[in-house]
């Protein structure tokens, strides 16, 4: 699976990179972005799902890679 | 203080300064959610209160129909010519698009995780110093001995203000947030000492630039031009006001909860991994901040006949208890794993200080429960809550021994 952040929606709440620092990073404004190619499986998929379920802006989505 | 008639029905005559709302708003909001769900009042010249998550989200995300020109609800309406829209008196919170984004981007780097996380040792030291001051006492006031000191000390450092002025800051915050019932002229008079204080700080920074947010703002440029002094002043006041009362309230409410719920306290002490989830649940359940908007033009919205310059009070704390969005919404669940709460708002005005607020909350709670793994309310009758748009305990006597 692959995880995405919609940069138009992200407002920098910071939930994703706090809950799943191995999957998400942040830029110098504090907005989130996906680390690497965004392919997630096993534990990183579970973390990505946790982040998705906590993003107040619904900016995170997980789809087929 | 003007005496106001008591509220007859919160659906048609609400007032967020009514004692019932100040002391325990949650049953009121629950009732409104099922009955209205957008409540109205003729007070403050006309205002609406959406009590659902959907209603709050719709308005927070709609900068076309609503303006942030003023976000603190009061009796007057700022005239367009008094405030150069879309900048407003305290950018970026009073700014609308497109200027809002420019003003916001200027300050975001200072509040991004990198610089904020670097403050952790300083905040931890501060918390320990405060706890050292009251060591040996059987009763500590979680508000006036502890929570109220932490945010101003951090803000003072960020803005580069003198050591001794923290009491003044709390006074300023009180004026801005709680003086809303005064007539407009008195309100303007009230602001004079605040303006004077900031003018002196700005002049001092102009004469002696240093590595802090005030100097940064004085040097910052938009499209090759320095910010107007009004912009610098407004942003400084915003950071001071937004950074103090809010976090102090959230911290106080968290300690209040732990004092009343020994099981949650014991879990937090024994399972430190719960902390990130506990912090979000404190924020959801006791979200301290509501913010206002003004209606731009007469319109039908959320089924309501809104008039130009009506207020909308964005009840983020009410949205956080909406059972449509949160399972067991009216229960505090310390390890709640899914928590899309709106304590820091939603959309373009998302709290710029949320990384700092979370850091202060976490460190202050960690240090408090490390010293006092068991504590209770010393006297529930003596707990007092701030009225207005930022809600939290001001006096919070805690029995620690
Ligand atoms: C628990 C503590 C806090 C809570 C619950 C909180 C809540 C909020 C909320 C709900 C908003 C959105 C306002 C709106 O939509 O009109 C906001 C905006 C803002 N907050 Fe906070 N806040 C907290 C702490 C802080 C701190 C510590 C700072 C900075 C030192 C800060 C600075 C700001 C700023 C600058 C904005 C305006 C952002 C913009 O308009 O783009 N806040 N806050």
């Amino acid at each position: 699976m692959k995880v995405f952040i919609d940069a138009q929606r992200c407002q920098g709440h910071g939930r994703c990179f706090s809950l799943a620092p191995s999957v998400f990073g942040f830029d110098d404004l504090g907005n989130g972005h996906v680390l690497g190619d965004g392919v997630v499986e096993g534990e990183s998929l579970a973390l990505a799902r946790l982040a998705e379920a906590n993003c107040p802006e619904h900016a995170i989505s997980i789809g087929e890679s | 203080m003007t005496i106001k008639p008591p509220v007859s029905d919160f659906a048609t005559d609400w007032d967020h300064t009514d004692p019932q709302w100040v002391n325990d708003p949650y049953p009121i909001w629950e009732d409104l959610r099922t009955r209205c769900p957008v409540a109205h009042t003729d007070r403050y010249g006309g205002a609406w209160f959406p009590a659902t998550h959907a209603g709050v989200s719709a308005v927070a995300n709609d900068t076309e129909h609503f303006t942030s020109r003023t976000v603190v609800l009061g009796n007057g309406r700022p005239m367009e010519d008094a405030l150069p829209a879309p900048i407003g008196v305290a950018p970026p919170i009073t700014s609308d698009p497109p200027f809002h984004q420019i003003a916001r981007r200027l300050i975001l780097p200072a509040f991004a995780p990198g610089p904020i996380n670097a403050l952790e040792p300083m905040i931890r030291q501060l918390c320990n110093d405060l706890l050292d001051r009251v060591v040996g006492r059987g009763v500590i006031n979680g508000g006036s001995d502890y929570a109220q000191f932490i945010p101003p000390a951090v803000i003072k450092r960020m803005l580069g203000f003198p050591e001794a002025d923290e009491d003044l800051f709390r006074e300023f915050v009180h004026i801005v947030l709680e003086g809303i019932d005064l007539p407009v002229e008195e309100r303007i008079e009230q602001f004079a000492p605040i303006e004077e204080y900031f003018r002196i700080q700005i002049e001092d920074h102009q004469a002696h630039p240093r590595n802090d947010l005030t100097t940064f703002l004085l040097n910052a440029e938009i499209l090759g031009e320095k910010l107007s002094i009004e912009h610098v002043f407004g942003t400084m006041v915003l950071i001071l006001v937004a950074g103090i009362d809010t976090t102090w309230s959230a911290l106080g409410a968290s300690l209040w909860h732990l004092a009343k719920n020994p099981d949650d306290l014991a879990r937090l002490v024994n399972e430190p991994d719960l902390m990130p989830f506990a912090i979000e649940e404190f924020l959801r359940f006791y979200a301290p901040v509501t913010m206002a908007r003004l209606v731009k033009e007469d319109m039908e919205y959320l089924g309501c006949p809104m008039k130009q310059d009506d207020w909308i009070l964005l009840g983020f704390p009410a949205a956080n208890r909406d059972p449509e969005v949160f399972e067991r919404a009216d229960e505090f669940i310390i390890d709640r794993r899914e928590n899309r709460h709106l304590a820091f708002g939603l959309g373009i005005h998302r709290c710029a200080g949320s990384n700092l607020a979370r850091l202060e909350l976490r460190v202050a709670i960690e240090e408090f429960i490390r010293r006092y793994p068991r504590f209770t309310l010393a006297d529930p009758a003596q707990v007092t809550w701030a009225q207005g748009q930022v809600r939290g305990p001001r006096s919070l006597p805690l029995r620690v021994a």
Side-chain angles (χ1 to χ4, degrees):
Chain A
M1 304 292 274
K2 200 166 169 161
V3 58
F4 304 89
I5 289 188
D6 180 345
Q8 296 299 312
R9 285 182 163 254
C10 174
Q11 299 289 353
H13 290 257
R15 303 297 299 283
C16 59
F17 53 77
S18 307
L19 287 164
S22 57
V23 182
F24 303 96
F26 51 84
D27 63 17
D28 65 347
L29 298 177
N31 290 331
H33 60 77
V34 174
L35 294 173
D37 60 8
V39 175
V40 282
E41 55 183 18
E43 190 178 341
S44 63
L45 175 58
L47 282 171
R49 289 226 159 96
L50 183 65
E52 180 198 16
N54 282 284
C55 176
E57 307 285 350
H58 295 263
I60 299 173
S61 57
I62 299 171
E64 296 295 329
S65 54
Chain B
M1 202 43 109
T2 27
I3 308 285
K4 294 193 282 188
V7 167
S8 52
D9 179 348
F10 282 97
T12 52
D13 182 37
W14 62 267
D15 190 332
H16 61 306
T17 65
D18 185 87
Q20 203 185 329
W21 182 304
V22 171
N23 291 323
D24 189 13
Y26 304 107
I28 300 173
W29 297 340
E30 198 181 312
D31 175 53
L32 293 178
R33 256 194 307 274
T34 47
R35 274 205 295 158
C36 302
V38 183
H40 182 258
T41 186
D42 288 330
R43 295 169 192 242
Y44 307 104
W48 303 88
F49 181 81
T52 60
H53 189 283
V56 171
S57 303
V59 178
N61 278 318
D62 189 339
T63 53
E64 204 187 311
H65 295 105
F66 303 94
T67 167
S68 283
R69 206 162 81 231
T70 25
V71 288
V72 180
L73 192 154
N75 288 322
R77 297 289 187 283
M79 298 298 116
E80 281 287 349
D81 55 352
L83 300 175
I87 303 174
V89 277
I93 208 167
T94 56
S95 315
D96 290 329
F99 184 79
H100 167 264
Q101 194 188 16
I102 300 171
R104 179 174 168 89
R105 272 169 172 265
L106 271 181
I107 62 166
L108 280 182
F111 293 98
I116 292 303
N117 292 342
L119 298 172
E120 179 164 345
M122 185 273 278
I123 297 172
R124 205 171 289 282
Q125 182 67 48
L126 169 70
C127 294
N128 275 294
D129 291 347
L130 290 169
L131 291 169
D132 285 345
R133 284 197 338 210
V134 292
V135 85
R137 282 216 236 139
V139 174
I140 296 177
N141 198 306
S144 56
D145 289 329
Y146 192 57
Q148 75 165 12
F149 292 115
I150 298 163
V154 177
I155 294 296
K156 173 188 70 183
R157 236 179 98 128
M158 290 187 85
L159 288 172
F161 286 177
E163 274 306 312
D165 295 349
E166 284 174 34
D167 293 341
L168 265 179
F169 302 163
R170 275 189 298 275
E171 172 72 25
F172 293 165
V173 173
H174 179 77
I175 289 174
V176 173
L177 292 175
E178 298 193 41
I180 65 165
D181 282 329
L182 296 172
V184 177
E185 305 75 49
E186 272 182 56
R187 196 93 173 105
I188 293 171
E189 254 173 58
Q190 260 198 321
F191 274 78
I194 304 184
E195 282 175 29
E196 175 66 8
Y197 180 84
F198 278 83
R199 194 182 53 73
I200 293 169
Q201 296 309 323
I202 289 175
E203 283 172 6
D204 186 52
H205 278 79
Q206 281 166 331
H208 312 281
R210 40 210 195 250
N211 183 18
D212 58 28
L213 209 46
T214 302
T215 300
F216 168 81
L217 288 169
L218 286 167
N219 292 334
E221 292 182 358
I222 294 177
L223 299 174
E225 283 197 39
K226 287 259 167 79
L227 306 186
S228 68
I229 213 69
E230 292 78 20
H231 182 155
V232 172
F233 167 82
T235 298
M236 289 170 68
V237 174
L238 166 62
I239 289 171
L240 187 98
V241 172
I244 293 185
D245 211 16
T246 50
T247 317
W248 158 18
S249 298
L251 175 55
S254 308
L255 294 175
W256 183 69
H257 176 90
L258 292 172
K260 293 195 312 166
N261 294 277
D263 294 348
D264 282 340
L265 176 55
R267 280 197 72 186
L268 206 52
V269 170
N270 296 324
E271 302 169 57
D273 288 352
L274 280 186
M275 192 56 97
F277 298 102
I279 296 287
E280 301 309 322
E281 185 67 345
F282 287 131
L283 285 164
R284 179 187 77 89
F285 210 69
Y286 301 108
V289 177
T290 55
M291 280 289 155
R293 300 286 187 270
L294 286 169
V295 174
K296 280 192 189 169
E297 285 172 10
D298 292 6
M299 63 174 171
E300 182 87 9
Y301 200 89
L302 299 173
C304 303
M306 298 187 178
K307 294 266 174 307
Q308 183 181 355
D309 282 349
D310 278 355
W311 297 102
I312 309 273
L313 190 58
L314 287 178
F316 299 116
N320 283 352
R321 301 267 190 133
D322 187 343
E324 284 286 314
V325 176
F326 299 95
E327 275 178 44
R328 296 158 68 197
D330 56 354
E331 285 175 57
F332 182 95
I333 302 177
I334 196 159
D335 56 358
R336 187 183 286 276
R337 287 186 58 90
E338 295 192 6
N339 200 343
R340 284 193 174 103
H341 69 75
L342 303 186
F344 291 116
L346 196 70
I348 62 167
H349 291 281
R350 184 273 307 171
C351 176
S354 61
N355 297 309
L356 173 59
R358 285 190 168 104
L359 176 68
E360 289 183 27
L361 273 177
R362 175 170 63 76
V363 172
I365 295 171
E366 279 171 359
E367 292 311 306
F368 197 90
I369 67 175
R370 204 162 59 80
R371 293 249 187 151
Y372 303 111
R374 260 181 292 187
F375 60 92
T376 53
L377 282 187
D379 180 1
Q382 288 204 14
V383 178
T384 55
W385 294 81
Q387 73 157 25
Q389 285 179 227
V390 180
R391 182 175 184 275
R394 286 296 165 268
S395 179
L396 179 64
L398 299 172
R399 179 164 303 286
V400 295

